[in-house]
Amino acid sequence: MKRIQSKMEVNEDTVLFMVVAIGAITLDKAKSIDELSTVLSIGKNELSPIIEKLYQQGYLSRNNDLYYVTQSGLLRAMSLFS
């Protein structure tokens, strides 16, 4: 029997949801790209452009290269459930 390997699709929605899930929702809990890459098990080269796009769209905030979810980002992440 063949083994089916599944890999989670890495896109803006999954990254945003995972950032919320790890609790990076305030400045005091903000994470660097390196920390996010490690915690989310996503390569830094794959993660960086997604994080930058979420930042440009206003879903993440950045302070001294630390990222956390904005109110808009939290609403977008929660909308994935409905």
Side-chain angles (χ1 to χ4, degrees):
M1 183 183 300
K2 288 185 178 181
R3 184 177 182 159
I4 299 173
Q5 291 187 357
S6 66
K7 183 179 178 189
M8 181 178 61
E9 181 181 349
V10 178
N11 61 37
E12 293 169 34
D13 287 336
T14 57
V15 168
L16 184 60
F17 179 77
M18 290 189 302
V19 173
V20 170
I22 65 169
I25 58 173
T26 58
L27 178 57
D28 63 318
K29 296 187 182 201
K31 307 286 184 211
S32 69
I33 293 278
D34 289 332
E35 291 173 302
L36 291 169
S37 175
T38 299
V39 171
L40 303 177
S41 298
I42 300 170
K44 187 177 173 183
N45 291 336
E46 187 176 9
L47 182 60
S48 292
I50 296 171
I51 293 292
E52 183 60 29
K53 189 169 184 179
L54 289 168
Y55 170 72
Q56 293 295 327
Q57 294 171 337
Y59 297 125
L60 293 179
S61 190
R62 178 173 58 204
N63 188 326
N64 296 324
D65 293 326
L66 298 175
Y67 293 87
Y68 61 99
V69 179
T70 64
Q71 185 71 30
S72 296
L74 191 56
L75 289 171
R76 178 176 170 180
M78 295 300 109
S79 74
L80 298 173
F81 289 107
S82 55

